[in-house]
Amino acid sequence: MPAHRRAVLQVVAWTLLFAALIDVAINLAFRVPADPRQKPGTLANYFEYGRSVEAKLRRSLGPDDERAADIAVAGWIDRDCTRAVKGEPGRTTIAFYGMSFSNQVGDALAELDPSVHTVYFAGPSAPPNHSMGCFHLRQAKAGDAGDDPASVQVLGVLASSVKGLLSMTGATTGFEGPAPFTYPRYRLDDQGRLQATQPLVRSTADWREVMADPQRWGAFKQQLAQHDRFYDPLLFDAGVGDRSAIVRMLRRAWAQHSSRDLADSVLGPDGFSADPEIGPVLQALVLDFAQRSRAAGKRPVVLLLHDGQSGDALHRLLSPVLTAHGVDHVSTHEVAPTSDRANFIGDGHFTPLANLRIAAELRKQLARAPTTAPGVTSK
Amino acid sequence: MLFNSLEFLAFFGIVYGLYLVLPFRGQNTLLLLAGYVFYGWWDVNFLFLIAFSTTVDFWIGLMLAEGRVPTRQRWAASVFIVAAAVVFLCVDWAALVSWFTPGAQPLAWTASAVGGWTVVGSLAFVLVANATHDRIAAMAPDRRRRLMLFMTVFVNLAFLGCFKYFNFFIDSAESALAGLGLNPELFHLHIVLPVGISFYTFQSLSYTIDVSRGLVKPTRRLQDFALFVAYFPPMVAGPIERARHLLPQLLQPRRVRWRQVGQGLLLILFGLFKKVAIADGVAPAVNAVFNSSGAVSAGDIAMATVLFAVQIFCDFSGYSDIARGVSKMMGIELMLNFRLPYFSKNPSEFWRRWHISLSSWLRDYLYISLGGNRRGEGRTYFNLMATMTLGGLWHGAAWNFVLWGVYQGALLCVHRFFTGDRRPAAPRPGLTGAAVGALQIAFFFVFVCYGWLLFRANSFDQIVLFTQTLLGFGPSGVPSVIPKPPLSALAGMALLFALQLAEHLQGRLDAVRFWPRPVQGALCAVALVILVMGTSNAPVQFIYFQF
């Protein structure tokens, strides 16, 4: 064999050998604890990101809820949104439907105004369809029991979570840290009415049972394939690739790229796309929220939370519709613009100061008389 | 088509597979087609500019060297330019592509107004060129040479002026007039900047200038010259090749050697490593500071500027490495474009190490044409300033690039003022010498970084604000907003620094080649794993594509 050819092939062989050794070394050095309640180290977590959703869920769900990871038990609509809430005498109860962003604004509002009592119905990075699924369930329950003390209902819509309208579970939208909670998928029918498709899995116990039953597991994955645009078998299904750190890193890259492509197709530099399953559905959801809230004798407020690179996209999409229908709303794009990084902390949430500014805007809005407009039922 | 995309992987796989089995002429035809596909992937319409540039410079090259264009070449050029106008501007390529998708509409011939007028213009151009050919051929050689040189410079710079600088100068004129209390609404061209226009224009221009100087023989086959302009690896972001270096390689049968394949693979691996793992990894941190509308702390500005120095080096030299690697695998050598630039101790050395193909182009065709250092000290300073200012403007139509060019020119002038034409002193031996050398490098790196701040800034106001903040006159108590770069970038920077330090200390860029093969393999494996880690970074378009 000619010397140059031999040299090239030898270097390639050494490269592959060392790459395999590095792969094994990573697996040995950065193991994830078997107990889902124990948090792995930063590097172990890093090399775990690319494991399949199924494998990550099997670990995080644990044998029961007591021994499951925190993320596995968070955000379940059937459990969280049917809990009894009590008001406090002399204080105005405000219910927040949303996610951590809206919860933090609620906390800041309570800090600014001691006469306010806040209650929260939220899921991790919950999309509007989670909030509305929660709201609808709670409305139905309150209608039966009449025990909802909140006189103001705030729907928080987070710009970066709007893409979740195309999904049914946090397990598909958040590849690196899948949250198994589920929520309905909303679409508009030919008459423009909202239609909901409910998920087959509605609790961590459901997940465990479904995963243990190949037929039900197949049916659930079939539902995801049909109704969840973030579902990708390459990312979801466990396999031998989970054993290799390099394959996991490649899968993570694939997840990032496909998720980014999908997110970019929903929210780009020019705002939200014209996808009929995004803008029109979101507009219908916030109006439905306002209408039902007013019908129940409560004051609806929509909180438009701009994060990431969203600029004023939510404001542009929803404010005209909300204004036309006389729905009170507060947008963060002026009080805490996304172009100023000083408004955000490292994990992407607003800083405490920005939360206070947003809460002050919300307080101002609440101090004004509620607005109504033709076409919106008000009690 | 980005080098770091799956599309390019498939594209190059097909091209390389065919390349290895085709005979020499077939290889050249394949490379020409590949160049047009590679560029047309962004925008088919702009292929007309390349075709036009090719035709004009091919014609002028022959006129410069032989005093006439033979009939056959005239026909070829005439047919080529008109066909290019029809194919690239009159065919609805979007419809053609969508025709392959299910439920597509029937294809329609949708000649746009631009396409129609360009065909008419091309026909007129062909008629005028052919009609004036004999008159120009009959001119005195010196007069003809001057006319042809004027034509090539005019046509190529007109392209650049039209597509790259027109709106900039109009905007600047509007601002200047507004300062005088006038508010005119001047004419703007609503066009996008063709990718890589500055690179292929300069490459094509170097051919005609070299022909006029007798440094290179003109090619008599239009196809060969078209390949020189549209050879895809360096087409959109360099290195800016010279005809005397690239053309002979394209005109001779080539043999792909294992040595070149090995070196090519290594260059591609490290090029991708620099781009994907490091440049794309630090980009969000840099953007967080430079795209912020709020107050930014001095620490963040300094960190973002240093990270931008890393980003632009890894982004641009990464592209050059991949271009060189891809080309090497086909048996064609491209110019070296970077030689450890951040190990420079002064501006003169920096410009011999950074973007070598541009700095040597500016030196050969602009600085020396202006008189270089042959017309006295004052004129030399003027020539340095003019060359670097135009070099800054070459990068982009914005005042911060002009300012960057002026800054680089000023650094060169100051350096020249203190050192003159003296050759640099030999470094002192031993640890003291190494320490002094390291200090010199670190000291000059600060000046390099401030240049990058000018280069990256989004506006003149930002330059002023950031400079004030760095000097301690900015707002105080501003919290840090810069995000931490990902692990791939941190590990990648450490590996790259170690590798470049070893190359610097050993005094050769290919030091790795002489290391034991297991060490080479270990190095490649680490780079490969870090590259795989970096594939999660959001891909960013190569910075120099916009130039």
Side-chain angles (χ1 to χ4, degrees), chain A residues 53-364:
Chain A
V53 172
E54 183 185 339
K56 278 187 278 200
L57 287 181
R58 282 189 190 279
R59 177 183 169 271
S60 71
L61 288 167
D64 51 49
D65 284 5
E66 280 68 42
R67 284 176 287 175
D70 289 347
I71 195 162
V73 291
W76 290 101
I77 289 177
D78 286 356
R79 190 197 57 197
D80 293 357
C81 303
T82 52
R83 73 177 198 270
V85 173
K86 285 184 183 164
E88 290 190 1
R91 295 174 77 191
T92 308
T93 302
I94 301 180
F96 282 80
Y97 292 88
M99 71 308 296
S100 53
F101 282 74
S102 50
N103 290 5
Q104 289 175 5
V105 173
D107 287 345
L109 180 65
E111 192 182 324
L112 283 179
D113 186 350
S115 72
V116 163
H117 168 236
T118 52
V119 291
Y120 304 108
F121 303 99
S125 302
N129 36 337
H130 174 275
S131 306
M132 286 304 288
C134 182
F135 173 75
H136 285 150
L137 185 66
R138 192 153 182 80
Q139 277 250 314
K141 183 181 173 275
D144 295 340
D147 67 347
D148 192 341
S151 57
V152 177
Q153 294 180 314
V154 177
L155 173 66
V157 182
L158 180 65
S160 65
S161 290
V162 169
K163 62 180 188 283
L165 284 171
L166 304 173
S167 70
M168 295 191 89
T169 169
T172 55
T173 51
F175 173 78
E176 292 182 3
F181 71 92
T182 57
Y183 37 82
R185 172 83 200 268
Y186 290 96
R187 289 189 180 88
L188 295 176
D189 65 13
D190 294 343
Q191 275 79 45
R193 289 175 307 212
L194 282 167
Q195 299 292 331
T197 307
Q198 296 295 338
L200 291 175
V201 168
R202 302 187 69 90
S203 66
T204 47
D206 275 358
W207 268 106
R208 290 187 202 100
E209 286 168 21
V210 163
M211 285 175 119
D213 180 345
Q215 258 195 329
R216 290 179 67 195
W217 184 226
F220 180 48
K221 288 202 284 188
Q222 182 63 36
Q223 186 188 40
L224 292 179
Q226 196 179 345
H227 295 289
D228 191 323
R229 280 207 229 163
F230 283 84
Y231 173 74
D232 179 348
L234 202 66
L235 306 176
F236 200 88
D237 296 344
V240 286
D242 282 323
R243 292 171 192 273
S244 160
I246 291 177
V247 172
R248 291 203 299 272
M249 286 191 278
L250 286 171
R251 178 163 30 206
R252 181 189 183 212
W254 176 256
Q256 295 265 12
H257 287 275
S258 53
S259 170
R260 203 177 291 127
D261 284 351
L262 199 49
D264 289 349
S265 73
V266 170
L267 176 59
D270 300 324
F272 286 101
S273 74
D275 188 328
E277 297 191 0
I278 293 288
V281 170
L282 187 56
Q283 288 169 341
L285 283 174
V286 294
L287 291 181
D288 183 67
F289 165 76
Q291 196 167 359
R292 285 172 187 264
S293 189
R294 279 173 171 157
K298 296 167 193 304
R299 181 175 182 182
V301 179
V302 179
L303 184 57
L304 307 177
L305 299 154
H306 295 89
D307 65 331
Q309 307 288 319
S310 58
D312 61 349
L314 271 177
H315 168 70
R316 277 187 285 147
L317 177 70
L318 295 179
S319 286
V321 179
L322 293 170
T323 304
H325 288 79
V327 182
D328 294 334
H329 57 281
V330 171
S331 173
T332 62
H333 73 284
E334 279 181 348
V335 286
T338 56
S339 57
D340 186 351
R341 289 281 309 178
N343 288 320
F344 298 89
I345 58 174
D347 68 0
H349 283 88
F350 288 113
T351 58
L353 198 64
N355 278 320
L356 282 172
R357 286 206 302 272
I358 300 164
E361 282 297 306
L362 183 58
R363 193 180 175 204
K364 259 196 272 177

Side-chain angles (χ1 to χ4, degrees), chain A residues 4-5 7-11 14-15 18-19 22 26 43 46-47 246 249-250 252-254 256-257 260 339-342, chain B residues 6 258-259 262 288 291-294 481 483 487-488 517-518 520-522 524-526 529 532-533 535-539:
Chain A
H4 284 307
R5 189 190 307 181
V8 170
L9 294 178
Q10 278 179 352
V11 173
W14 279 114
T15 303
F18 276 108
I22 292 170
I26 288 172
L43 280 175
Y46 180 88
F47 292 112
I246 291 177
M249 286 191 278
L250 286 171
R252 181 189 183 212
W254 176 256
Q256 295 265 12
H257 287 275
R260 203 177 291 127
S339 57
D340 186 351
R341 289 281 309 178
Chain B
L6 292 176
W258 275 93
R259 184 179 52 82
N291 294 351
S292 179
S293 62
V481 297
L487 185 60
S488 69
R517 278 169 206 156
Q520 289 183 41
C524 290
V526 173
V529 171
V532 169
M533 285 160 69
T535 50
S536 296
N537 298 331

